[in-house]
């Protein structure tokens, strides 16, 4: 019974440590995430600045995975080359060791103060950023409490036979210790948590220093596994190169360091007798040494990665998302960026549909009708994938800006899908009817249809730009197009009936039908969806919709 209660106590302390790390990461991410992302983007000019930026950003976020996802998104978008991206990851690996260094000192007494300050900031802060900083302070306090409790729980039970058997296997075989550390870190998604646990076990005398160092090597390897195993296999090659390069460098570092632990351990104890601090120092020294060795070799290493991970040139299913990285769900700003890029893919598909609609309406290619209907299926599948992806975001990790962006993404993709439905079901029905009956527009009617489609394509480009930049000026210009399209519809319909009156009974069958005014009305409905999906969410957010939205007809 006592053993069961102790095991529950131990699991509770570990869970509290993981939750504290989660609170620190989400608090800092929500308070400073956009600024850190912007800082990282600015510093990607050369490898030294990139390394420093990766170190600083990760020291605040305490997640090399989050930093890696940001860099992978930059690389995938073509905004950064592989060499500076890999340099960022080297810096990120060093950055994760800094909080371990801080917590290796006896700072448990400040835990209640951190929690108290955090609660005051969280409950009393008027600014969302202040509350997020309070959340991070609470998380740091919980981490310190958890570490103190771990030492209290472990120390009396270090002679338990079952524990001795497990720890004996770890202590006598470095490779087992390394593999165990890698698996635990992959499962916990936090190298910081595992290294802190190893420090607690080593300080309590449950683990020898050499076994602790092997576990730390495993933690370094395990943290590089997540982006490779959980990242999108169909994503851009540049992003996959960064994740693979980080894993390869850490694996090579572990392969070199593991046989040398017997020499490193005694030297480390001579320099730092405190075993907990010795583990932290080894963790930092390993990543520093790795960065110093690999940084000058990044050019040939990047060339090797380009050969190992070439650009994908094979055809792929257009309805399958390529930007929705599963690992990015842990970092909402990156996940929202991935969903935004997928939404722009939807806009590109809709642009192809518009071009094909023009050819089907004014030309004689019957295959265009079937192609556009297949592309509408692609829109439906992409929209469903984006919604399912956004639903999986943790609401607790979303800031107010993140929630607003989610709403904007859902509005944009939903209206793009509706616009595609109108093109596929209504406009293509008109085109199929025209082709089946051998009808033809008049010269003026054909010119008007082409002009409407050209304006609609321009508005789709404007909608994509407004969605991407969230610029209220672009949104207002797009909203004004609703009135313009309404006037164009009225003029086109009036001109159509004027031609009917002028032609009299001898009018050809195409103009004698109601195809033309129905077509113009459907194109106007497509434009309405573009405005509603891209312009209105921006104007509503800024309280400018009432002044900009025009009365519905």
């Amino acid at each position: 019974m006592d053993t069961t209660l102790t095991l529950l106590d131990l699991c509770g302390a570990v869970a509290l440590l993981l939750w504290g790390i989660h609170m620190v990461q989400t608090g800092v991410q929500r308070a400073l995430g956009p600024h850190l992302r912007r800082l990282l983007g600015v510093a990607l000019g050369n490898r030294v600045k990139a390394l420093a930026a990766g170190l600083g950003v990760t020291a605040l976020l305490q997640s090399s995975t989050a930093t890696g996802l940001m860099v992978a998104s930059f690389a995938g978008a073509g905004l950064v080359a592989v060499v500076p991206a890999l340099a960022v990851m080297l810096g990120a690996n060093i950055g994760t060791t800094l909080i371990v260094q801080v917590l290796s000192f006896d700072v448990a007494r400040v835990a209640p103060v951190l929690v108290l300050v955090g609660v005051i900031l969280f409950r009393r802060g008027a600014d969302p950023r202040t509350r997020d900083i309070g959340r991070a302070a609470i998380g740091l306090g919980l981490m310190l409490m958890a570490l103190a409790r771990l030492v209290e729980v472990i120390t009396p039970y270090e002679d338990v036979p079952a524990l001795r058997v497990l720890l004996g296997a770890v202590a006598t075989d470095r490779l087992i210790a390394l593999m165990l550390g890698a698996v635990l870190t992959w499962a916990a998604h936090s190298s910081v948590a595992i290294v802190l646990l190893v420090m607690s076990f080593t300080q309590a005398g449950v683990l020898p220093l050499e076994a602790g160092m092997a576990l730390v090597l495993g933690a370094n390897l395990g943290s590089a596994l997540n982006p490779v195993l959980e990242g999108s296999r169909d994503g851009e090659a540049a992003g996959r190169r960064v994740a693979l390069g980080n894993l390869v460098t850490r694996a090579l570092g572990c392969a070199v360091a593991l046989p040398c632990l017997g020499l490193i351990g005694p030297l480390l104890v001579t320099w730092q007798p405190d075993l907990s601090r010795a583990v932290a120092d080894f963790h930092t020294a390993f990543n520093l040494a790795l960065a110093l060795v690999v940084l000058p070799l990044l050019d040939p290493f990047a060339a090797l990665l380009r050969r190992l991970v070439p650009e994908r040139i094979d055809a792929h299913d257009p309805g399958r998302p390529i930007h929705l990285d599963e690992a990015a769900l842990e970092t909402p700003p990156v996940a929202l960026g991935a969903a935004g890029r997928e939404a722009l893919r939807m806009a590109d598909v809709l642009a192809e549909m518009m071009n094909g609609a023009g050819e089907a309406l004014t030309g004689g290619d019957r295959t265009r009708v079937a192609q556009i209907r297949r592309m509408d299926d692609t829109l439906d599948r992409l929209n469903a994938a984006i919604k399912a992806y956004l639903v999986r975001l943790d609401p607790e990790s979303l800031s107010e800006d993140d929630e607003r962006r989610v709403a904007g993404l859902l509005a944009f993709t939903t209206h793009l899908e509706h616009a595609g439905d109108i093109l596929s079901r209504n406009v293509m029905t008109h085109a199929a009817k025209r082709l089946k009956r051998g009808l033809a527009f008049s010269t003026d009617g054909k010119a008007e249809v082409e002009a409407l489609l050209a304006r609609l394509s321009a508005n789709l480009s404007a909608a994509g730009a407004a969605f991407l930049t969230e610029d209220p000026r672009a949104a207002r210009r797009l909203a004004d197009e609703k009135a313009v399209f309404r006037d164009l519809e009225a003029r086109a319909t009036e001109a159509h009936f004027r031609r009917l009156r002028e032609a009299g009974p001898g009018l050809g069958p195409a103009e004698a039908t109601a195809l033309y005014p129905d077509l113009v009305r459907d194109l106007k409905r497509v434009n309405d969806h573009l405005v509603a999906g891209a312009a209105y969410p921006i104007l509503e957010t800024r309280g400018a919709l009432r002044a900009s939205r025009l009365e519905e007809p």
Side-chain angles (χ1 to χ4, degrees):
M1 184 65 179
D2 290 341
T3 303
T4 302
L5 292 175
T6 302
L7 182 60
L8 289 174
D9 203 356
L10 179 63
C11 291
V14 173
L16 185 62
L17 176 63
L18 291 172
W19 184 250
I21 292 173
H22 172 74
M23 290 189 69
V24 171
Q25 291 176 358
T26 56
V28 174
Q29 207 165 269
R30 292 172 66 172
L32 304 173
H35 302 287
L36 295 178
R37 184 176 173 85
R38 188 160 49 247
L39 171 64
L40 194 59
V42 170
L44 290 174
N46 62 68
R47 67 186 70 186
V48 177
K49 288 183 179 180
L51 184 143
L55 189 156
V57 170
T58 308
L60 290 171
L61 285 178
Q62 279 311 302
S63 174
S64 60
T65 300
T67 305
L69 287 170
M70 292 182 191
V71 175
S73 68
F74 288 144
L79 301 176
V80 58
V82 177
V83 169
L86 290 171
V88 168
M89 292 311 303
L90 292 174
N93 298 337
I94 300 171
T96 57
T97 71
L98 297 186
I99 195 170
V100 173
Q101 283 288 340
V102 172
L103 298 184
S104 66
F105 294 96
D106 186 13
V107 291
R109 293 184 179 181
V110 303
V113 177
L114 286 170
V115 174
L116 176 62
V117 172
V119 169
I120 292 173
L121 292 176
F122 187 79
R123 296 293 300 273
R124 301 294 182 183
D127 181 49
R129 184 174 297 176
T130 302
R131 293 196 294 270
D132 291 332
I133 293 174
R135 173 192 290 266
I138 295 172
L140 190 56
L142 294 179
M143 289 172 61
L144 294 174
M145 291 180 178
L147 289 172
R149 183 59 185 158
L150 277 170
V151 174
E152 293 176 9
V153 173
I154 292 169
T155 303
Y157 290 90
E158 59 183 282
D159 293 323
V160 173
L163 183 61
R164 277 293 180 188
V165 171
L166 174 63
L167 296 178
V170 172
T172 55
D173 195 318
R174 300 172 187 171
L175 186 59
I176 290 178
L178 183 142
M179 293 173 62
L180 178 62
V183 170
L184 290 175
T185 303
W186 168 78
H189 283 62
S190 174
S191 62
V192 173
I194 302 304
V195 173
L196 291 175
L197 282 174
V198 172
M199 286 167 51
S200 299
F201 276 58
T202 308
Q203 182 66 23
V206 178
L207 274 177
L209 178 60
E210 187 175 321
M213 291 189 296
L215 284 167
V216 167
L217 291 177
N220 279 276
L221 183 63
S223 65
L225 285 172
N226 288 317
V228 174
L229 297 179
E230 299 178 14
S232 173
R233 293 171 181 255
D234 299 314
E236 297 86 349
R240 290 183 285 124
R241 288 171 192 148
V242 174
L244 180 62
N246 184 45
L247 175 62
V248 170
T249 55
R250 289 203 178 194
L252 291 175
C254 291
V256 172
L258 192 65
C260 303
L261 293 183
L263 299 174
I264 296 173
L267 293 175
L268 194 58
V269 172
T270 303
W271 181 63
Q272 179 54 262
D274 187 320
L275 295 182
S276 177
R277 297 264 306 117
V279 171
D281 290 345
F282 174 75
H283 183 38
T284 302
F286 171 75
N287 284 285
L288 277 172
L290 197 61
L292 291 174
V293 171
V294 174
L295 195 65
L297 305 175
L298 285 182
D299 286 319
F301 185 48
L304 175 63
L305 288 173
R306 282 191 286 270
R307 295 185 61 183
L308 293 175
V309 187
E311 296 288 347
R312 294 178 64 91
I313 57 175
D314 55 318
H316 64 278
D317 180 3
R320 183 173 57 189
I322 61 175
H323 301 300
L324 303 183
D325 191 347
E326 295 294 314
L329 289 168
E330 295 183 4
T331 311
V334 180
L336 292 175
R341 295 175 68 191
E342 207 65 57
L344 291 176
R345 277 191 71 212
M346 289 184 64
D348 291 339
V349 173
L350 187 60
E352 290 184 37
M353 293 177 69
M354 287 182 184
N355 292 334
E359 296 176 12
L361 286 167
T362 60
D365 189 355
R366 295 175 182 272
T367 62
R368 279 296 189 179
V369 176
Q371 288 174 357
I372 289 173
R373 286 174 175 163
R374 286 196 297 271
M375 283 190 277
D376 183 50
D377 293 336
T378 297
L379 277 184
D380 295 342
R381 291 170 58 194
L382 289 175
N383 183 42
I386 292 170
K387 287 181 178 177
Y389 184 75
L390 293 176
V391 165
R392 295 174 59 194
L393 287 171
D394 181 8
E396 288 292 323
S397 64
L398 297 177
S399 65
E400 291 182 5
D401 285 342
D402 292 337
E403 291 174 352
R404 176 188 55 76
R405 188 61 174 164
V406 168
L409 271 164
L410 292 175
F412 186 65
T413 56
T414 299
H415 282 285
L416 288 182
E417 183 188 16
H418 291 337
D421 290 341
I422 295 171
L423 286 174
S424 173
R425 298 171 187 173
N426 296 42
V427 175
M428 286 304 97
T429 297
H430 301 319
K433 184 186 298 184
R434 184 190 74 82
L435 291 168
K436 183 178 181 180
R437 298 182 183 178
L439 307 178
F441 290 112
S442 67
T443 302
D444 291 340
K446 180 180 178 181
E448 287 165 3
V449 170
E450 290 175 344
L452 281 170
L453 285 168
R455 187 143 199 149
L456 197 60
S457 296
N459 286 352
L460 176 58
S461 299
F467 167 76
L468 186 63
T469 63
E470 298 185 310
D471 187 342
R473 296 168 298 179
R476 289 190 189 97
R477 285 194 294 270
L478 180 60
D480 291 341
E481 283 293 311
K482 192 165 185 178
V484 172
F485 244 79
R486 195 159 56 235
D487 292 340
L488 288 172
E489 179 199 17
R491 289 201 298 269
T493 304
E494 180 183 351
H496 166 64
F497 284 108
R498 185 176 64 249
R499 287 192 294 271
L500 283 176
R501 288 192 297 268
E502 292 172 353
L507 185 68
E511 296 290 357
T513 65
L515 182 150
Y516 181 75
D518 288 346
L519 171 62
V520 175
R521 189 177 304 113
D522 287 331
L523 293 179
K524 173 186 170 295
R525 289 174 58 204
V526 172
N527 185 73
D528 290 345
H529 281 298
L530 299 182
V531 174
Y536 286 170
I538 299 171
L539 298 176
E540 284 172 347
T541 300
R542 288 158 176 77
L545 182 59
R546 182 172 300 178
S548 301
R549 179 180 285 176
L550 301 173
E551 291 294 329
E552 295 291 341

